[in-house]
Amino acid sequence: MNRRDFLITASAAGIGAALPWSQARSARGERLRLAMIGTGMRGQSQLGPLLSRDDVDLVAICDTQQVMIDRALAIIESAGRPKPQVHGSDGDVNAWKRVLDHKGLDGVLIVTPWEWHAPMAIAAMEAKIPVGCEVVAGITLADHWDVLRTQLRTGTPYMLMENVCYRRDVMAVLQMVRAGLFGELVHLQAGYQHDLRAVKFNSGDPDQPYGSGVEFGPGAFSEAQWRTQHSIERNGELYPSHGIGPVAMYANIHRGNRFTHLNAFSTKARGLHDYIVKHPKGGPQHPNAKLGFKLGDVVTTTLRCENGETILLQHDTSLPRPYSLGFRVQGTEGLWMDLNQSIHVEGRSEAHKWENAQQYYDQYDHPLWRKYADQAAGAGHGGMDWFVIHAFVEALKAGDPMPIDIYDAVAWSAITPLSEQSIAEGYRTLEFPDFTEGKWKDRKPIFAFDDRY
């Protein structure tokens, strides 16, 4: 797909409906007018990269918790930016709808609990407002089809804001894959292996959001208010995109390749219960120690691809462990693993020996990082938050396709309900939906990136 062949039309701020997004924006001025729905801790971490740009005006924010609104406003003020219009101070859970009533919005960032992503994105696209949505795209499989069909029908740009696709080593390895360093790809691995026990429980004190207690739901704060409930009610690969995003790009998913089959297995659930029992503010008699958790401590999901590759994902968030996304890229000429930053390339590495990957990272450092590393310094998650915001903004300004597009978004995210179904049906292997309806055969890789985004 040629970037310039993909021109989105819209009627915004009185601009004629036949104009591409980029021309409509230019007719209003060079700066983008953006809004943010959700100013919790993730939203606040995204404010820095957003406010550092001189081509963006943040004109509206929305949250239902005043403490989060106040913290976001303090960040905005400290950046020397004008105060945006504020929605949700009254606690109205539907206040986000008023954000979409703003005239002339060039885009909206959705940074809310997962269950709100699909309805908010659908409403925004119906209103012809481009969407940058934090992961995940939806909860049920039907959610994903609804988001996809809305985007295709309205033509409104949609980008999944998957920041790990912009991690520096991940992008260097993309360069290695594109250069054929590993030969023909055969097998890939990744996951979300991150001890979230202290994220899923706290005391409810906004100043101690991590690990300060064993409460969740209304009596807790931040993610513990909503994320923990998913561990009680659901069993599957609940957070796939950090892992699947990069490896899907390595394997050219939706660009000459696709997922064809999926199955999933789950271990027993012990970690969250043990955390509650052993925590100083918990114990065997604490009410939450009586809970049953449905989410297995380690969920393993396997995918098969049209071109013959297999992909293994692991979701591991309830046991003590250091953080790792567990990347492995293996081909006919060698492999890379991120856990110990190791690489082996046949004919270049000593036989049966690992090399440290740093010299390869340096050699294949991506042009984006070479160009923008200084600007990204200090942004969240090692700078990759800056890059994902940059990509969304630059694609909007140019009227180009989103580098992480609607097909990527729904397929990566749909791994969750499909894995839940597989486990619930006795670990059955399922056929993976072809969200592109055959278009994957002719679409060309666009995630090789130039030095813009």
Side-chain angles (χ1 to χ4, degrees):
M1 179 185 292
N2 185 289
R3 290 181 182 274
R4 299 298 172 182
D5 289 342
F6 189 84
L7 292 176
I8 301 297
T9 61
S11 56
I15 304 299
L19 287 178
W21 287 105
S22 56
Q23 293 180 30
R25 178 200 57 78
S26 296
R28 291 196 301 273
E30 287 302 312
R31 301 172 69 89
L32 290 183
R33 292 166 51 83
L34 300 182
M36 178 180 285
I37 303 175
T39 60
M41 297 182 71
R42 177 59 183 154
Q44 291 165 37
S45 72
Q46 289 290 57
L47 283 174
L50 196 64
L51 298 171
S52 70
R53 304 186 64 92
D54 60 8
D55 54 359
V56 167
D57 289 321
L58 184 63
V59 299
I61 62 172
C62 179
D63 205 282
T64 59
Q65 296 184 339
Q66 190 62 46
V67 63
M68 293 303 197
I69 292 172
D70 291 342
R71 291 181 177 186
L73 290 175
I75 293 170
I76 295 166
E77 182 179 10
S78 67
R81 293 301 195 95
K83 180 180 178 180
Q85 197 160 356
V86 176
H87 300 278
S89 295
D90 56 358
D92 180 8
V93 296
N94 289 311
W96 61 272
K97 296 179 180 179
R98 298 196 291 273
V99 174
L100 304 183
D101 290 335
H102 280 256
K103 301 301 181 184
L105 274 185
D106 294 300
V108 61
L109 294 169
I110 297 173
V111 200
T112 59
W114 300 336
E115 52 267 30
W116 289 99
H117 290 186
M120 288 177 175
I122 288 169
M125 289 188 289
E126 294 282 9
K128 299 290 188 179
I129 300 171
V131 171
C133 186
E134 283 292 326
V135 298
V136 297
I139 301 295
T140 67
L141 192 58
D143 286 341
H144 294 80
W145 281 111
D146 290 344
V147 170
L148 172 64
R149 287 166 178 154
T150 302
Q151 196 283 323
L152 295 178
R153 176 171 49 80
T154 65
T156 311
Y158 177 109
M159 177 171 167
L160 191 73
M161 305 295 280
E162 178 41 72
N163 58 358
V164 178
C165 288
Y166 291 89
R167 207 172 83 176
R168 193 166 195 166
D169 60 341
V170 164
M171 295 194 77
V173 173
L174 177 65
Q175 296 283 86
M176 298 177 206
V177 170
R178 294 281 187 261
L181 186 69
F182 305 115
E184 182 180 356
L185 295 189
V186 175
H187 178 72
L188 304 107
Q189 293 183 192
Y192 189 61
Q193 300 171 134
H194 188 185
D195 182 356
L196 294 182
R197 295 173 299 167
V199 173
K200 294 183 181 181
F201 299 101
N202 57 46
S203 65
D205 182 352
D207 294 323
Q208 301 183 67
Y210 301 124
S212 56
V214 293
E215 306 304 323
F216 74 98
F221 179 72
S222 191
E223 287 180 70
Q225 291 182 314
W226 59 270
R227 189 168 187 164
T228 313
Q229 193 65 35
H230 291 275
S231 298
I232 294 171
E233 297 178 352
R234 307 172 70 193
N235 190 15
E237 169 50 82
L238 297 190
Y239 205 60
S241 67
H242 282 348
I244 197 63
V247 300
M249 294 302 183
Y250 298 153
N252 287 328
I253 298 300
H254 300 144
R255 298 162 180 91
N257 201 2
R258 76 177 188 96
F259 305 135
T260 61
H261 294 83
L262 173 150
N263 67 14
F265 289 82
S266 175
T267 70
K268 56 192 172 186
R270 294 291 184 270
L272 296 181
H273 170 79
D274 287 355
Y275 181 81
I276 294 167
V277 169
K278 295 174 182 177
H279 195 282
K281 293 187 178 179
Q285 303 309 312
H286 192 282
N288 289 344
K290 309 296 192 296
L291 291 171
F293 293 93
K294 193 172 181 181
L295 177 65
D297 288 343
V298 179
V299 177
T300 301
T301 301
T302 306
L303 297 105
R304 181 68 151 76
C305 301
E306 182 72 31
N307 292 344
E309 306 91 345
T310 54
I311 300 173
L312 185 146
L313 298 178
Q314 287 195 308
H315 182 270
D316 175 358
T317 63
S318 301
L319 298 170
R321 64 159 301 129
Y323 174 85
S324 169
L325 296 185
F327 285 115
R328 172 173 155 187
V329 178
Q330 188 165 13
T332 56
E333 300 295 327
L335 75 163
W336 164 75
M337 298 174 67
D338 77 327
L339 185 59
N340 55 358
Q341 301 300 321
S342 56
I343 194 169
H344 178 87
V345 180
E346 192 167 56
R348 180 165 170 174
S349 307
E350 186 177 348
H352 306 289
K353 295 277 183 76
W354 292 107
E355 290 186 80
N356 185 285
Q358 188 58 55
Q359 62 176 314
Y360 292 84
Y361 297 155
D362 294 342
Q363 179 182 348
Y364 290 94
D365 196 22
H366 197 279
L368 272 172
W369 274 94
R370 293 175 190 259
K371 183 173 183 178
Y372 292 114
D374 290 344
Q375 289 175 249
H381 297 94
M384 57 194 187
D385 284 353
W386 185 92
F387 283 99
V388 75
I389 290 286
H390 176 75
F392 178 65
V393 170
E394 291 298 324
L396 277 182
K397 287 166 57 179
D400 284 350
M402 291 295 160
I404 303 175
D405 68 13
I406 188 64
Y407 294 125
D408 300 321
V410 296
W412 301 355
S413 180
I415 289 170
T416 297
L418 290 168
S419 67
E420 291 179 88
Q421 180 184 346
S422 174
I423 291 169
E425 295 180 0
Y427 319 110
R428 184 165 72 89
T429 297
L430 307 174
E431 290 190 9
F432 203 98
D434 178 8
F435 290 104
T436 74
E437 298 181 306
K439 297 182 184 69
W440 63 270
K441 297 176 184 178
D442 300 316
R443 302 175 82 229
K444 304 303 180 185
I446 61 170
F447 202 74
F449 292 118
D450 53 27
D451 63 358
R452 292 181 301 158
Y453 51 91

